[in-house]
């Protein structure tokens, strides 16, 4: 009777020789292609409506196609030579300088209001809506509204007359100030977009950083310089790209308000007129490629001065 307990102890002490139970792997054959099936239609639209037209534009840029003829004569780099040698095609870039200055003013104003309204300010929700509201309006409606605003005897002239200015200039008829008026209109319309981007970036900064700055006795300028600016670095770089590319490709406001008259023709308006008014699609395609290359170069410069944080750490 004493053998059974010892045998039992031996059985208990003996290690188990059974293989450990492992979870069965589910068969995933064919599942690797599932994400591509979901991306198939979007990629098809992207290739059809973006990459194929861009490739066609590169081909048109080395031809003399008028947009109607079936045959396209190959001219090589003659279209690009015309852009940089004929002043009527290249000097319109000077008009973009007004929009570049307006883009800088737009970023400064948007950043100022975003910083101001990110903290405790009376009626801040009301002012947020007022600043962002112009961006929600249709561009054609804004163009027609400011067309009446700047017209002789219009809203602006009537307002200035109240303050004693009886002989105001022709805001859209004087070549020396027409681009200033158009650039100011663009600033009013697009400032709301940059304002919202800055506002979201500033409000994502942890409040503990401001509290620590208050304990150290930091001023408002020091908080802005050492807390806000480093925190919104990437958003600031993005808005700079959007502002500069928008200034170079300005079209909507000047085309609606002046049609490019009185020295307000931008590079994009010149491109559209070249293609559809003067029936030279080949030259217009070359102008579009030049604009594309300039925007890409500006983007590369921006990435140089505003690198990605992850890339900087690596």
């Amino acid at each position: 009777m004493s053998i059974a307990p010892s045998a039992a102890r031996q059985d208990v002490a003996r290690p188990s020789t059974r293989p450990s139970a492992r979870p069965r792997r589910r068969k995933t054959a064919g599942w690797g292609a599932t994400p591509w099936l979901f991306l198939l239609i979007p990629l098809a639209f992207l290739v059809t409506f973006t990459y194929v037209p861009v490739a066609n534009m590169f081909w048109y840029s080395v031809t003399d196609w008028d947009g109607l003829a079936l045959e396209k004569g190959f001219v090589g780099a003659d279209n690009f030579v015309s852009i940089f040698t004929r002043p009527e095609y290249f000097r319109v870039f000077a008009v973009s300088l007004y929009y570049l200055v307006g883009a800088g003013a737009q970023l400064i104003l948007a950043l100022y209001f975003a910083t101001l309204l990110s903290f405790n300010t009376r009626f801040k929700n009301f002012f947020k809506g007022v600043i962002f509201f112009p961006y929600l309006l249709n561009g054609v409606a804004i163009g027609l509204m400011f067309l009446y605003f700047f017209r002789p005897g219009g809203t602006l002239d009537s307002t200035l007359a109240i303050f004693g200015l009886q002989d105001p200039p022709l805001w859209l008829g004087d070549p020396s100030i027409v681009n200033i008026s158009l650039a100011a209109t663009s600033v009013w319309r697009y400032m709301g977009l940059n304002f919202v981007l800055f506002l979201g970036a500033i409000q994502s900064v942890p409040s503990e950083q401001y509290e620590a700055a208050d304990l150290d006795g930091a001023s408002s300028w020091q908080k802005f310089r050492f807390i806000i600016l480093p925190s919104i670095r990437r958003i600031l770089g993005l808005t700079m790209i959007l502002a500069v590319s928008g200034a170079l490709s300005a079209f909507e406001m000047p085309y609606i308000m002046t049609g490019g008259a009185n020295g307000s023709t931008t590079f994009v308006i010149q491109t559209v007129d070249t293609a559809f008014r003067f029936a030279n699609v080949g030259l217009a395609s070359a102008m579009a490629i030049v604009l594309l290359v300039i925007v890409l170069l500006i983007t590369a410069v921006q990435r140089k001065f505003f690198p990605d944080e992850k890339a900087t750490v690596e």
Side-chain angles (χ1 to χ4, degrees):
M1 300 296 295
S2 62
I3 298 177
S6 62
R9 285 194 298 269
Q10 292 178 0
D11 293 338
V12 173
R14 184 183 302 168
S16 176
T17 59
R18 296 180 180 179
S20 58
R22 296 180 180 178
R24 296 182 179 179
R25 295 182 178 178
R26 299 180 60 183
K27 295 182 179 180
T28 59
W31 286 94
T34 301
W36 295 102
L37 293 177
F38 284 100
L39 292 173
L40 184 61
I41 295 179
L43 287 176
F45 279 109
L46 180 64
V47 171
T48 304
F49 297 106
T50 300
Y51 294 114
V52 172
V54 169
N56 289 333
M57 184 178 66
F58 275 93
W59 162 241
Y60 297 153
S61 66
V62 294
T63 65
D64 59 356
W65 189 43
D66 61 357
L68 297 175
L70 297 178
E71 296 182 357
K72 305 175 182 64
F74 182 78
V75 297
D78 291 348
N79 290 329
F80 296 95
V81 174
S82 299
I83 294 173
F84 293 98
T85 56
R86 296 175 63 178
E88 64 269 21
Y89 290 119
F90 193 73
R91 67 185 176 190
V92 291
F93 270 117
V95 179
S96 300
L97 296 177
Y98 292 93
Y99 294 93
L100 284 173
V101 174
Q106 172 184 302
L107 292 177
I108 294 173
L109 290 173
L111 183 57
Y112 172 76
F113 288 119
T115 304
L116 186 65
L117 297 177
S118 295
F119 302 97
N120 294 327
T121 306
R122 296 185 63 182
F123 308 110
K124 65 178 182 179
N125 291 329
F126 170 75
F127 289 115
K128 289 178 183 178
V130 170
I131 295 173
F132 184 66
F133 178 72
Y135 183 72
L136 300 177
L137 297 178
N138 181 269
V140 177
I142 293 178
L144 294 176
M145 181 176 66
F146 274 89
L147 185 62
Y148 286 96
F149 179 79
F150 286 120
R151 66 181 298 179
T155 305
L156 182 58
D157 290 352
S158 301
T159 304
L160 294 176
I162 298 176
F163 296 94
L165 184 60
Q166 301 296 331
D167 190 17
L170 297 175
W171 302 104
L172 299 179
D174 189 349
S176 62
I177 62 174
V178 59
N179 291 311
I180 298 177
S181 302
L182 296 174
T185 304
S186 297
V187 170
W188 182 82
R189 187 197 175 186
Y190 293 105
M191 185 178 66
L193 174 62
N194 295 320
F195 167 76
V196 170
L197 294 175
F198 287 143
L199 186 67
I202 294 173
Q203 290 183 345
S204 64
V205 178
S207 59
E208 291 79 4
Q209 296 186 19
Y210 299 114
E211 295 174 359
D214 290 333
L215 293 177
D216 293 336
S219 62
S220 299
W221 167 249
Q222 290 173 334
K223 293 179 186 178
F224 176 79
R225 180 181 177 183
F226 297 106
I227 296 178
I228 294 178
L229 277 183
S231 301
I232 66 172
R233 183 184 180 90
R234 299 175 65 181
I235 297 297
L236 184 60
L238 172 63
T239 54
M240 288 180 62
I241 291 178
L242 295 176
V244 173
S245 61
L248 294 175
S249 59
F251 172 75
E252 194 175 34
M253 290 297 106
Y255 190 79
I256 294 172
M257 297 177 65
T258 63
N262 303 322
S264 62
T265 301
T266 62
F267 192 75
V268 178
I269 293 178
Q270 184 70 38
T271 302
V272 174
D273 288 343
T274 302
F276 300 105
R277 180 179 296 180
F278 305 114
N280 196 340
V281 177
L283 181 58
S285 299
M287 297 174 68
I289 290 176
V290 170
L291 181 61
L292 175 63
V293 171
I294 293 175
V295 172
L296 291 177
L297 289 176
I298 293 174
T299 304
V301 172
Q302 183 274 334
R303 293 296 299 271
K304 180 67 176 180
F305 289 97
F306 293 90
D308 193 358
E309 295 179 359
K310 294 181 180 178
T312 305
V313 172
E314 293 177 358

